[in-house]
Amino acid sequence: MVANTTLNTTAEHKIELNARKELKMTGVIEVIFATANEIFAKTECGNIKIFGNNLKVKSVLITEKILEAVGEITKIEYTSGKKSFMQKLFK
C-alpha cells in the first residue's frame, strides 16, 4: 500500500550544497535537533535529516526561514514524520 502524501506546492524550500561541506537551506520552520552527526529540521516541504561528520549549525534565522550548516555532509533525507508501529509501542 502506498501512502497518500500531500506536499505544499507553494512552499519556498531550496537546498544549496557547496562541495558537500557547506549547506544553506531555505524554508526552514524549526530545527528539532542538531548533533555532530545529524541535523533534523522541519521545513515547508516536510521534515528533513542531514547526516554527516563534524556537522555544525552555522546559523539559524527562523524569521527568514534559513538554516546554514558546515561539516562533511554524507546524506540528505526527507522523512514523513510519522512514527512506526514499533516507535509508538516503545515510546
Side-chain angles (χ1 to χ4, degrees):
M1 175 186 274
V2 176
N4 187 5
T5 310
T6 306
L7 293 178
N8 183 352
T9 56
T10 61
E12 291 290 327
H13 174 59
K14 183 172 31 173
I15 297 173
E16 295 177 26
L17 185 60
N18 185 16
R20 294 179 59 183
K21 301 262 184 234
E22 297 175 355
L23 174 100
K24 181 177 182 180
M25 184 168 30
T26 63
V28 176
I29 298 168
E30 177 183 8
V31 176
I32 308 299
F33 69 84
T35 68
N37 297 314
E38 183 178 354
I39 299 169
F40 183 47
K42 183 177 182 179
T43 75
E44 291 182 349
C45 290
N47 295 338
I48 190 167
K49 289 184 179 181
I50 296 102
F51 297 93
N53 300 306
N54 300 315
L55 296 176
K56 294 178 185 167
V57 174
K58 188 174 170 183
S59 67
V60 179
L61 304 170
I62 294 300
T63 55
E64 286 88 19
K65 299 182 179 178
I66 296 173
L67 166 71
E68 293 180 323
V70 295
E72 179 189 355
I73 297 163
T74 58
K75 181 178 176 182
I76 298 173
E77 173 182 283
Y78 286 92
T79 63
S80 67
K82 296 179 183 177
K83 292 184 178 182
S84 70
F85 173 75
M86 294 302 283
Q87 287 173 321
K88 289 177 186 175
L89 186 64
F90 296 107
K91 59 179 172 174

